[in-house]
Amino acid sequence: QTGAFTYDPGFTSTASCESQITYIDGDAGVLLYRGYPIDQLAEQGDFLETAYLLLYGELPTKAQKADFDNRITNHTMVHEQLTRFYNGFRRDAHPMAILVAVVGALSAFYHDSTDIHDPKQRMIASMRLIAKIPTLAAMAYKYTIGQPFVYPKNNLSYAANFLHMCFAVPAEEYKVNPILADALEKIFILHADHEQNASTSTVRLAGSSGANPFACIAAGVACLWGPAHGGANEAALKMLEEIGSVDNIPKYIAKAKDKDDPFRLMGFGHRVYKNYDPRAKIMQKTCHDVLTELGIKDDPLLDVAVELEKIALHDPYFIEKKLYPNIDFYSGITLKAMGFPTSLFTVLFALARTSGWIAQWKEMIEDPAQKIGRPRQLYTGAPQRDYVTIDKR
Ligand code: SDX
């Protein structure tokens, strides 16, 4: 792609907003963050570089990158009193239920970064959210497995710190596997932003009312949880486990095609991509790298996924409906192999997407023409009529 992009007039008339952050060509399967192809950014494997790019629009210089890393690294701890929120949950609470609550609760602790009209407070809130979301996410995991919280370490990279906070225990030394940390940096980059998807639109709509950034990101976490959206990675793995073996695939393909059956192939299809989701290809390669590093030779779930994809991609129904694997199809297998429980998959998605949500929120707030969002409706209810007292009904 060279030069300015031209929009199809039809598309512009239905666009919910203008943005310079992420560009998707759903028919061609193209995804650009600030003009850079997703595969080139993922190849770098530096999530904070991508977070900087999404926020500020340009790749950072060495000095800018060092300063940004420093600001994030030095804000990864959370107020000690916030840890008490976790004790209010049952241990079997879904980590997403905990994350929605504690992200929103940040606005009760950081009063010096809730004034959205103050650029300095906006920057501080953005740094705090990007820095603390991995810590809050890891704490949600530790709480649900009954292990003590592990504090962040300033000498670890963003993804390595998250692995450390999830898997280290006080009883013994924990050494982060650099291959897994690199894979997780890539996975976070793939999930960082995706134009005006449901959860990003939720964050923008919440932000348009002037709500503080912590509340807006909590709203995004809540929306992402749905199985049709960010919850699909958890649902896709459960589907692969339910299919169990390649012999059962035809039965599930038939179910997915049956109009009367609500079953959908999880990790397949997309509101925008009518071609292969470019993230899915990178996810599949990352999955292979992780399984190889962990010495997992033949993962039955991967066998089912690869065979299911092959059959579906050659099935006339899926071809006609333009249904391809999306980012969620292979992510579950990868995260499970890394040791994460399925209940944490969408938490990792929210962790990564927080940088994209913040960038989109910032872009909206800084737009001088921005007004409160107010979608209208097509009213199809009863015409005006007079009240009837109960004795006459
Ligand atoms: C994410 O928006 C984003 O950018 C989201 C996301 C991001 O990064 O933020 O990319 C992340 O949410 C990815 C999508 C994850 N969800 C899933 O994998 C859940 C399974 N997928 C489906 O639920 C579905 O594909 C949706 C919800 C994603 C999209 O559904 P739509 O809007 O119905 O898709 P469509 O209009 O393209 O469907 C065309 C047809 C429909 O049938 P008809 O009405 O034409 O008869 O295909 C059918 C759909 O019913 N269809 C499927 C299917 N997905 C769509 N049939 C079987 N299996 C599927 N997965």
Side-chain angles (χ1 to χ4, degrees):
Q1 301 277 359
T2 52
F5 293 116
T6 51
Y7 288 100
D8 161 61
F11 177 86
T12 312
S13 64
T14 57
S16 61
C17 68
E18 281 190 18
S19 175
Q20 298 178 354
I21 300 174
T22 293
Y23 174 76
I24 301 175
D25 180 333
D27 293 326
V30 169
L31 171 59
L32 310 175
Y33 288 167
R34 299 284 191 179
Y36 294 97
I38 188 67
D39 57 320
Q40 293 181 23
L41 292 168
E43 191 51 41
Q44 298 309 313
D46 185 339
F47 176 73
L48 285 183
E49 179 180 68
T50 292
Y52 182 99
L53 173 67
L54 290 171
L55 269 172
Y56 300 113
E58 296 298 334
L59 289 169
T61 61
K62 267 206 187 106
Q64 289 167 332
K65 180 68 172 53
D67 171 60
F68 188 70
D69 285 0
N70 203 24
R71 272 190 281 154
I72 296 296
T73 304
N74 290 310
H75 286 88
T76 50
M77 286 181 70
V78 293
H79 193 294
E80 194 61 16
Q81 215 158 309
L82 233 171
T83 62
R84 294 189 199 153
F85 270 83
Y86 290 75
N87 293 328
F89 291 97
R90 290 177 16 169
R91 292 283 179 176
D92 63 353
H94 193 292
M96 281 296 277
I98 299 174
L99 195 66
V100 174
V102 294
V103 169
L106 289 173
S107 36
F109 285 82
Y110 299 111
H111 303 296
D112 63 345
S113 55
T114 51
D115 176 359
I116 62 159
H117 301 295
D118 176 347
K120 191 162 178 294
Q121 291 204 26
R122 289 203 300 265
M123 189 275 288
I124 295 170
S126 305
M127 295 301 111
R128 278 188 166 134
L129 277 157
I130 296 172
K132 298 179 192 309
I133 195 84
T135 310
L136 295 173
M139 287 165 71
Y141 172 53
K142 284 301 205 183
Y143 183 75
T144 56
I145 59 172
Q147 286 187 1
F149 298 142
V150 173
Y151 287 94
K153 277 186 158 179
N154 288 354
N155 64 342
L156 294 175
S157 74
Y158 199 74
N161 217 350
F162 182 68
L163 287 169
H164 163 76
M165 290 188 283
C166 284
F167 299 126
V169 287
E172 56 192 35
E173 266 311 296
Y174 175 78
K175 198 171 164 356
V176 176
N177 178 326
I179 307 282
L180 299 189
D182 179 56
L184 196 55
E185 292 278 343
K186 288 180 166 56
I187 292 169
F188 286 165
I189 290 168
L190 294 178
H191 287 84
D193 194 55
H194 211 239
E195 202 216 68
Q196 304 312 316
N197 57 84
S199 52
T200 299
S201 302
T202 300
V203 170
R204 277 181 172 258
L205 199 53
S208 73
S209 75
N212 73 71
F214 305 108
C216 297
I217 300 303
V221 175
C223 176
L224 186 76
W225 195 1
H229 189 13
N233 51 20
E234 182 175 346
L237 191 89
K238 285 185 177 151
M239 175 190 75
L240 294 172
E241 287 172 338
E242 187 186 320
I243 294 174
S245 87
V246 294
D247 304 339
N248 295 332
I249 290 174
K251 185 174 76 174
Y252 284 86
I253 292 273
K255 274 170 66 71
K257 289 157 60 173
D258 177 356
K259 291 272 16 100
D260 300 326
D261 190 324
F263 174 74
R264 286 274 192 287
L265 282 187
M266 290 290 112
F268 252 80
H270 199 275
R271 289 301 280 135
V272 177
Y273 288 122
K274 301 309 167 192
N275 198 327
Y276 215 100
D277 180 338
R279 303 168 298 176
K281 283 196 186 94
I282 304 166
M283 195 69 242
Q284 190 177 4
K285 166 120 184 21
T286 307
C287 181
H288 177 268
D289 296 346
V290 165
L291 296 181
T292 306
E293 170 60 19
L294 295 171
I296 300 172
K297 294 260 180 303
D298 45 5
D299 181 335
L301 289 180
L302 185 61
D303 297 343
V304 171
V306 170
E307 186 60 19
L308 175 58
E309 177 188 346
K310 202 162 74 185
I311 296 173
L313 292 186
H314 292 89
D315 184 295
Y317 175 89
F318 291 92
I319 294 168
E320 187 239 327
K321 305 279 183 192
K322 297 184 180 175
L323 301 176
Y324 293 85
N326 60 50
I327 187 164
D328 297 306
F329 192 60
Y330 287 102
S331 58
I333 299 172
T334 315
L335 298 174
K336 179 173 190 272
M338 294 175 88
F340 295 110
T342 47
S343 61
L344 212 68
F345 292 178
T346 312
V347 167
L348 272 83
F349 195 149
L351 186 166
R353 186 54 58 88
T354 293
S355 292
W357 286 331
I358 288 285
Q360 299 268 352
W361 169 81
K362 177 176 177 289
E363 182 181 63
M364 178 203 60
I365 292 287
E366 289 174 353
D367 174 1
Q370 183 263 328
K371 291 184 181 307
I372 184 167
R374 180 56 175 88
R376 291 307 307 272
Q377 62 175 20
L378 188 65
Y379 179 69
T380 57
Q384 184 168 335
R385 50 187 167 163
D386 293 331
Y387 182 79
V388 177
T389 55
I390 194 161
D391 55 321
K392 293 197 176 68
R393 287 176 217 159

PDB file of all heavy atoms in Angstrom, residues 6-18:
ATOM      1  N   THR A   6      -7.749   5.466   0.248  1.00  0.00           N
ATOM      2  CA  THR A   6      -9.040   6.084  -0.107  1.00  0.00           C
ATOM      3  C   THR A   6     -10.128   5.169   0.443  1.00  0.00           C
ATOM      4  O   THR A   6     -10.003   3.948   0.410  1.00  0.00           O
ATOM      5  CB  THR A   6      -9.199   6.134  -1.653  1.00  0.00           C
ATOM      6  OG1 THR A   6      -8.943   4.818  -2.146  1.00  0.00           O
ATOM      7  CG2 THR A   6      -8.222   7.128  -2.256  1.00  0.00           C
ATOM      8  N   TYR A   7     -11.161   5.783   0.991  1.00  0.00           N
ATOM      9  CA  TYR A   7     -12.216   4.970   1.592  1.00  0.00           C
ATOM     10  C   TYR A   7     -13.348   4.760   0.601  1.00  0.00           C
ATOM     11  O   TYR A   7     -13.711   5.677  -0.127  1.00  0.00           O
ATOM     12  CB  TYR A   7     -12.763   5.679   2.840  1.00  0.00           C
ATOM     13  CG  TYR A   7     -11.780   5.631   3.979  1.00  0.00           C
ATOM     14  CD1 TYR A   7     -10.982   6.731   4.265  1.00  0.00           C
ATOM     15  CD2 TYR A   7     -11.613   4.467   4.712  1.00  0.00           C
ATOM     16  CE1 TYR A   7     -10.059   6.680   5.286  1.00  0.00           C
ATOM     17  CE2 TYR A   7     -10.676   4.408   5.745  1.00  0.00           C
ATOM     18  CZ  TYR A   7      -9.908   5.507   6.025  1.00  0.00           C
ATOM     19  OH  TYR A   7      -8.988   5.461   7.024  1.00  0.00           O
ATOM     20  N   ASP A   8     -13.917   3.582   0.634  1.00  0.00           N
ATOM     21  CA  ASP A   8     -15.109   3.331  -0.181  1.00  0.00           C
ATOM     22  C   ASP A   8     -16.248   4.177   0.410  1.00  0.00           C
ATOM     23  O   ASP A   8     -16.519   4.068   1.606  1.00  0.00           O
ATOM     24  CB  ASP A   8     -15.462   1.828  -0.093  1.00  0.00           C
ATOM     25  CG  ASP A   8     -16.892   1.617  -0.513  1.00  0.00           C
ATOM     26  OD1 ASP A   8     -17.177   1.939  -1.676  1.00  0.00           O
ATOM     27  OD2 ASP A   8     -17.715   1.221   0.343  1.00  0.00           O
ATOM     28  N   PRO A   9     -16.890   5.055  -0.339  1.00  0.00           N
ATOM     29  CA  PRO A   9     -17.933   5.954   0.210  1.00  0.00           C
ATOM     30  C   PRO A   9     -18.949   5.187   1.068  1.00  0.00           C
ATOM     31  O   PRO A   9     -19.343   5.632   2.128  1.00  0.00           O
ATOM     32  CB  PRO A   9     -18.582   6.564  -1.031  1.00  0.00           C
ATOM     33  CG  PRO A   9     -17.613   6.353  -2.150  1.00  0.00           C
ATOM     34  CD  PRO A   9     -16.800   5.155  -1.814  1.00  0.00           C
ATOM     35  N   GLY A  10     -19.312   4.023   0.606  1.00  0.00           N
ATOM     36  CA  GLY A  10     -20.315   3.252   1.376  1.00  0.00           C
ATOM     37  C   GLY A  10     -19.783   2.993   2.772  1.00  0.00           C
ATOM     38  O   GLY A  10     -20.463   3.152   3.772  1.00  0.00           O
ATOM     39  N   PHE A  11     -18.486   2.614   2.826  1.00  0.00           N
ATOM     40  CA  PHE A  11     -17.894   2.278   4.124  1.00  0.00           C
ATOM     41  C   PHE A  11     -17.901   3.528   5.000  1.00  0.00           C
ATOM     42  O   PHE A  11     -18.261   3.514   6.157  1.00  0.00           O
ATOM     43  CB  PHE A  11     -16.465   1.789   3.903  1.00  0.00           C
ATOM     44  CG  PHE A  11     -15.758   1.480   5.195  1.00  0.00           C
ATOM     45  CD1 PHE A  11     -15.906   0.231   5.776  1.00  0.00           C
ATOM     46  CD2 PHE A  11     -15.004   2.438   5.834  1.00  0.00           C
ATOM     47  CE1 PHE A  11     -15.273  -0.052   6.981  1.00  0.00           C
ATOM     48  CE2 PHE A  11     -14.378   2.156   7.030  1.00  0.00           C
ATOM     49  CZ  PHE A  11     -14.508   0.907   7.612  1.00  0.00           C
ATOM     50  N   THR A  12     -17.472   4.677   4.401  1.00  0.00           N
ATOM     51  CA  THR A  12     -17.366   5.902   5.231  1.00  0.00           C
ATOM     52  C   THR A  12     -18.706   6.225   5.872  1.00  0.00           C
ATOM     53  O   THR A  12     -18.794   6.616   7.014  1.00  0.00           O
ATOM     54  CB  THR A  12     -16.926   7.081   4.317  1.00  0.00           C
ATOM     55  OG1 THR A  12     -15.821   6.607   3.562  1.00  0.00           O
ATOM     56  CG2 THR A  12     -16.521   8.277   5.140  1.00  0.00           C
ATOM     57  N   SER A  13     -19.784   5.999   5.103  1.00  0.00           N
ATOM     58  CA  SER A  13     -21.101   6.407   5.655  1.00  0.00           C
ATOM     59  C   SER A  13     -21.451   5.536   6.863  1.00  0.00           C
ATOM     60  O   SER A  13     -22.211   5.924   7.718  1.00  0.00           O
ATOM     61  CB  SER A  13     -22.176   6.225   4.581  1.00  0.00           C
ATOM     62  OG  SER A  13     -22.279   4.827   4.279  1.00  0.00           O
ATOM     63  N   THR A  14     -20.876   4.332   6.949  1.00  0.00           N
ATOM     64  CA  THR A  14     -21.245   3.506   8.113  1.00  0.00           C
ATOM     65  C   THR A  14     -20.163   3.563   9.188  1.00  0.00           C
ATOM     66  O   THR A  14     -20.297   2.962  10.237  1.00  0.00           O
ATOM     67  CB  THR A  14     -21.393   2.020   7.681  1.00  0.00           C
ATOM     68  OG1 THR A  14     -20.145   1.621   7.097  1.00  0.00           O
ATOM     69  CG2 THR A  14     -22.514   1.845   6.682  1.00  0.00           C
ATOM     70  N   ALA A  15     -19.040   4.278   8.940  1.00  0.00           N
ATOM     71  CA  ALA A  15     -17.945   4.290   9.920  1.00  0.00           C
ATOM     72  C   ALA A  15     -18.423   4.974  11.206  1.00  0.00           C
ATOM     73  O   ALA A  15     -19.140   5.968  11.165  1.00  0.00           O
ATOM     74  CB  ALA A  15     -16.747   5.035   9.344  1.00  0.00           C
ATOM     75  N   SER A  16     -18.030   4.397  12.375  1.00  0.00           N
ATOM     76  CA  SER A  16     -18.475   4.983  13.645  1.00  0.00           C
ATOM     77  C   SER A  16     -17.575   6.148  14.029  1.00  0.00           C
ATOM     78  O   SER A  16     -17.941   6.996  14.815  1.00  0.00           O
ATOM     79  CB  SER A  16     -18.405   3.915  14.735  1.00  0.00           C
ATOM     80  OG  SER A  16     -17.055   3.487  14.875  1.00  0.00           O
ATOM     81  N   CYS A  17     -16.359   6.184  13.493  1.00  0.00           N
ATOM     82  CA  CYS A  17     -15.468   7.291  13.842  1.00  0.00           C
ATOM     83  C   CYS A  17     -14.310   7.308  12.859  1.00  0.00           C
ATOM     84  O   CYS A  17     -14.156   6.390  12.060  1.00  0.00           O
ATOM     85  CB  CYS A  17     -14.912   7.087  15.256  1.00  0.00           C
ATOM     86  SG  CYS A  17     -13.778   5.695  15.379  1.00  0.00           S
ATOM     87  N   GLU A  18     -13.519   8.370  12.914  1.00  0.00           N
ATOM     88  CA  GLU A  18     -12.267   8.419  12.147  1.00  0.00           C
ATOM     89  C   GLU A  18     -11.136   8.075  13.105  1.00  0.00           C
ATOM     90  O   GLU A  18     -11.205   8.439  14.284  1.00  0.00           O
ATOM     91  CB  GLU A  18     -12.036   9.835  11.584  1.00  0.00           C
ATOM     92  CG  GLU A  18     -12.852  10.116  10.347  1.00  0.00           C
ATOM     93  CD  GLU A  18     -12.425  11.420   9.673  1.00  0.00           C
ATOM     94  OE1 GLU A  18     -11.308  11.917   9.948  1.00  0.00           O
ATOM     95  OE2 GLU A  18     -13.242  11.955   8.903  1.00  0.00           O
TER      96      GLU A  18
END
